[in-house]
Amino acid sequence: MAGFFTVSIIQSAMELGCIYALVALALFVSYTTLNIADLSTDGCFTLGCAVGAIVTLSGHPFLALFAAMGAGVISGFVTAFLQTRLGVESILAGIIVNTALYTINIMVMGFSSNVNIFKASTLFSIAHDLLEGIPLMGSWYKLFVVLIIVLTVGILLAWFLNTMLGLSIRATGDNPSMVRASSINPAFTITAGLMLSNSFTALSGAVLAQYQKSCDINYGTGMVTIALASLIIGESLIGRGSMLTRILGVIFGSCLYRFFVALALRLNIPAESLKLVSAVIVAIAISFPYLKSKIALYRQMQEAKQRHGEHK
Amino acid sequence: MLELKSVSKTFHPGTVNEKQAIKKLSLILPEGDFATIIGSNGAGKSTMFNAITGNFFVDEGEICLDGEDITFVPEYKRSKYIGHLFQDPLLGTAPHMTIEENLTLAYLRASSGNKGLFRMVKAEDRERFWKALKTLDMGLEDRMKQPVGLLSGGQRQALTLLMATMVRPKILLLDEHTAALDPATAEKVLAQTEKIVKEQQITCLMVTHNMNQALAMGNRTIMMDSGRIVADISGKERENMTVDGLLELFRKNVGEGLDNDRILLSGLN
């Protein structure tokens, strides 16, 4: 195993896992909590990536993260506005915003489909300079940065979901008829929830831009499926317990997903077919809980049959 | 105090399904009154409740609560001070949230409304929840960290009652809230209802299909038919009223007998 998985493979899987975990956390808010499939995720991720790259390029790597989150908040607001004020179906609202974001993302990148920020200083280059000379930190500084970001977001999210607004958002997705009879305005909670989730998605994009030192219009393609797979892996492994435990489970699920992808790459699957591999992993991860229950039922039936046979 | 001033509501106007569910309905419910409501199917009981909660806006008339005109106040704003329990015990609580989280949400919303969005539950609030759950005598106080989806219908309804009354509502609307429960649990929830309403002197309207219950609980009984109030008894008249007398009163005022089997059967025991 040690020969098969080198340290650097594990390292980069963990790094990417933590970065993409932010999108999985976004879906944890919109999909698991609010029960809305937010299909603007792909576009919003690229939006965060583009805004993050441009602001980083102008010499503000920290500001880049917050600028990207702000852009995500606006994108989430528009998606929510279409749903709650203009009566557009939630899935359709996401698709519309996703389409619009394609153009906006090209515009953000200065009417180009990609941006390179190789020369700009990023959070990672700053951390590299700061941690230089500290033993063991040599190659782990990237993981260190992304861990801090994802854990901060995770802990803040766990806190938020237990505040009154957080509980209201959870109730909105959990029991619409209860919400109608209590003083919660679903239009407000859906808007707040989608603004929050899209800020995470965009943050993830911004961190990836600094990590890859570039932004490409295609970075976000398929993001919603990948994040959903991470979320479902995390939820089916660690789906119970306190809010913080569940959130850590989602982060863990995202890292695990990256290990699966790394595994696939190690098996010499060509890079061009990576999206196909992703789709297969996603399909397996999503159907796994269903298949598990089917298999359990099948076993039960087999046992019952056997017992029947004994009685004869 | 609740005032309905000749309120009307027609559903599906201009279609073959047009139905005037309540017709020029007027009702004054003074502070602290606990009125029970009985009536045949389609009498407009639930429609009246939904008009009060703001589930829809009425076509005509005016609705006032504690002197404030709430006719066109949106539902989510009114519900801060209106408690509403339905027949289906699943409607009032969030199944994937714990008992404590459900109580927290109800308590924070009723006590601070939309102010203090980031407020959280304090240790003393938790203590309050524990004590309140203890009074239900269902063992729920030891299961506060469990999701509500694991509770039985009766337990969920008792919890909903608690959530609706933890901060005293201006009015409590009970829409056959024990009808879907087994007799023993229904008894328990009803006793709890009576206790809470009495202790906090909550102004309350309760729909029931049980005529004995309608006469035994509260201090006033209202009969409805075809979107109107056809009888409204309280005081001495009510004290001396029997189930047969109630049926007779209905026949006299409406011109025909009550046609709800459930109500009629409930009068037998």
Side-chain angles (χ1 to χ4, degrees):
Chain A
M1 198 69 181
F4 193 64
F5 269 139
T6 61
V7 174
S8 77
I9 288 178
I10 294 174
Q11 223 175 39
S12 69
M14 293 265 294
E15 286 161 9
L16 285 172
C18 284
I19 295 174
Y20 289 121
L22 292 167
V23 191
L25 288 179
L27 291 198
F28 181 73
V29 175
S30 61
Y31 183 73
T32 308
T33 307
L34 266 178
N35 207 11
I36 290 173
D38 183 2
L39 293 185
S40 71
T41 302
D42 290 9
C44 186
F45 182 83
T46 316
L47 177 70
C49 200
V51 171
I54 295 296
V55 179
T56 307
L57 202 58
S58 69
H60 301 283
F62 282 100
L63 189 66
L65 302 187
F66 294 103
M69 284 176 88
V73 165
I74 295 168
S75 161
F77 177 81
V78 175
T79 313
F81 187 83
L82 287 172
Q83 283 178 47
T84 58
R85 309 284 175 195
L86 301 181
V88 181
E89 284 282 337
S90 67
I91 289 192
L92 205 53
I95 293 173
I96 292 172
V97 171
N98 197 42
T99 310
L101 281 174
Y102 187 87
T103 309
I104 293 184
N105 293 337
I106 298 257
M107 283 160 98
V108 170
M109 291 188 281
F111 291 95
S112 154
S113 61
N114 53 43
V115 174
N116 290 322
I117 54 170
F118 288 118
K119 290 193 183 117
S121 75
T122 65
L123 291 183
F124 299 101
S125 68
I126 292 169
H128 181 255
D129 296 346
L130 275 178
L131 297 173
E132 212 172 16
I134 299 174
L136 294 176
M137 270 302 169
S139 62
W140 294 94
Y141 67 96
K142 280 185 181 171
L143 187 58
F144 189 67
V145 171
V146 292
L147 260 181
I148 287 178
I149 294 173
V150 76
L151 287 179
T152 310
V153 168
I155 290 166
L156 282 176
L157 179 62
W159 164 80
F160 172 76
L161 288 175
N162 281 315
T163 63
M164 188 176 83
L165 180 58
L167 289 170
S168 306
I169 290 175
R170 288 165 62 190
T172 306
D174 203 14
N175 192 348
S177 45
M178 169 199 182
V179 166
R180 245 171 273 134
S182 57
S183 62
I184 299 168
N185 178 7
F188 176 73
T189 46
I190 288 174
T191 308
L194 286 182
M195 281 160 72
L196 181 74
S197 71
N198 281 283
S199 77
F200 293 168
T201 307
L203 174 64
S204 176
V207 176
L208 188 82
Q210 297 197 3
Y211 181 83
Q212 308 268 42
K213 298 198 187 72
S214 65
C215 172
D216 188 282
I217 192 71
N218 291 321
Y219 275 1
T221 312
M223 192 50 61
V224 68
T225 358
I226 291 168
L228 201 56
S230 309
L231 178 69
I232 288 169
I233 294 172
E235 290 257 282
S236 48
L237 291 179
I238 310 172
R240 282 158 209 271
S242 73
M243 207 26 94
L244 189 61
T245 319
R246 290 175 64 190
I247 284 170
L248 292 176
V250 172
I251 298 171
F252 176 69
S254 177
C255 291
L256 205 59
Y257 172 80
R258 284 290 141 192
F259 275 111
F260 291 144
V261 174
L263 184 74
L265 285 175
R266 274 306 271 180
L267 294 171
N268 287 332
I269 291 168
E272 301 85 59
S273 33
L274 198 58
K275 285 264 190 269
L276 180 62
V277 173
S278 300
V280 171
I281 295 175
V282 171
I284 293 172
I286 295 175
S287 55
F288 183 70
Y290 176 78
L291 288 177
K292 210 166 82 176
S293 68
K294 277 278 168 199
I295 290 167
L297 182 69
Y298 180 74
R299 278 214 190 117
Q300 205 182 336
M301 281 161 67
Q302 287 297 319
E303 275 169 27
K305 254 186 207 164
Q306 267 177 12
R307 249 177 286 140
H308 240 61
E310 282 162 21
H311 288 304
K312 262 181 195 165
Chain B
M1 185 170 90
L2 174 78
E3 279 175 278
L4 302 181
K5 296 174 192 163
S6 73
V7 170
S8 301
K9 175 70 191 178
T10 304
F11 289 113
H12 313 296
T15 70
V16 283
N17 292 324
E18 179 170 312
K19 172 155 175 52
Q20 191 172 18
I22 42 178
K23 300 169 189 163
K24 301 234 171 257
L25 185 84
S26 292
L27 172 70
I28 293 182
L29 194 69
E31 186 75 28
D33 252 23
F34 181 176
T36 55
I37 303 172
I38 47 173
S40 40
N41 295 328
K45 298 164 297 200
S46 296
T47 307
M48 178 169 85
F49 276 15
N50 286 331
I52 298 170
T53 61
N55 193 278
F56 50 75
F57 292 135
V58 295
D59 301 332
E60 278 184 85
E62 208 176 293
I63 303 169
C64 294
L65 190 58
D66 282 3
E68 187 196 345
D69 184 351
I70 58 165
T71 315
F72 292 107
V73 174
E75 185 176 24
Y76 72 92
K77 282 189 183 161
R78 302 185 201 188
S79 47
K80 189 183 163 195
Y81 34 75
I82 299 177
H84 193 181
L85 265 71
F86 305 90
Q87 184 174 340
D88 184 348
L90 305 183
L91 293 184
T93 44
H96 292 100
M97 291 163 67
T98 64
I99 295 179
E100 188 184 293
E101 285 166 346
N102 271 280
L103 284 167
T104 304
L105 182 60
Y107 174 69
L108 290 181
R109 292 219 74 101
S111 59
S112 60
N114 268 325
K115 286 180 215 86
L117 287 176
F118 299 106
R119 274 184 63 190
M120 286 178 87
V121 67
K122 297 192 201 95
E124 69 218 50
D125 297 331
R126 235 172 244 139
E127 185 77 8
R128 267 183 69 149
F129 299 162
W130 191 86
K131 277 186 190 144
L133 286 169
K134 182 101 178 145
T135 60
L136 292 181
D137 194 23
M138 289 177 161
L140 295 183
E141 65 275 14
D142 301 321
R143 301 172 63 184
M144 277 170 65
K145 298 282 180 202
Q146 284 185 19
V148 167
L150 298 178
L151 306 185
S152 71
Q155 289 170 329
R156 275 181 84 160
Q157 200 66 313
L159 180 64
T160 312
L161 178 68
L162 212 58
M163 285 164 62
T165 55
M166 207 151 33
V167 175
R168 182 178 175 269
K170 286 184 181 172
I171 185 161
L172 179 64
L173 305 173
L174 307 168
D175 196 349
E176 296 204 57
H177 68 305
T178 59
L181 311 179
D182 68 86
T185 317
E187 194 83 19
K188 220 170 180 178
V189 174
L190 269 182
Q192 197 62 38
T193 308
E194 214 164 11
K195 187 174 153 241
I196 290 175
V197 170
K198 202 169 204 167
E199 271 175 10
Q200 303 189 33
Q201 300 194 321
I202 300 171
T203 314
C204 180
L205 281 173
M206 179 174 101
V207 172
T208 173
H209 64 269
N210 184 317
M211 286 200 285
N212 292 308
Q213 218 173 65
L215 288 173
M217 289 183 74
N219 61 346
R220 185 173 165 187
T221 298
I222 293 167
M223 288 184 100
M224 287 182 73
D225 185 69
S226 315
R228 270 185 278 257
I229 291 176
V230 291
D232 185 349
I233 56 169
S234 56
K236 269 272 174 293
E237 188 189 4
R238 186 172 182 264
E239 275 169 39
N240 300 323
M241 186 58 75
T242 59
V243 168
D244 287 335
L246 215 50
L247 285 172
E248 190 49 48
L249 188 66
F250 186 91
R251 197 167 295 125
K252 202 182 89 196
N253 289 357
V254 178
E256 54 183 294
L258 193 66
D259 68 345
N260 186 326
D261 291 347
R262 269 201 309 161
I263 294 184
L264 293 174
L265 286 169
S266 78
L268 295 176
N269 44 45

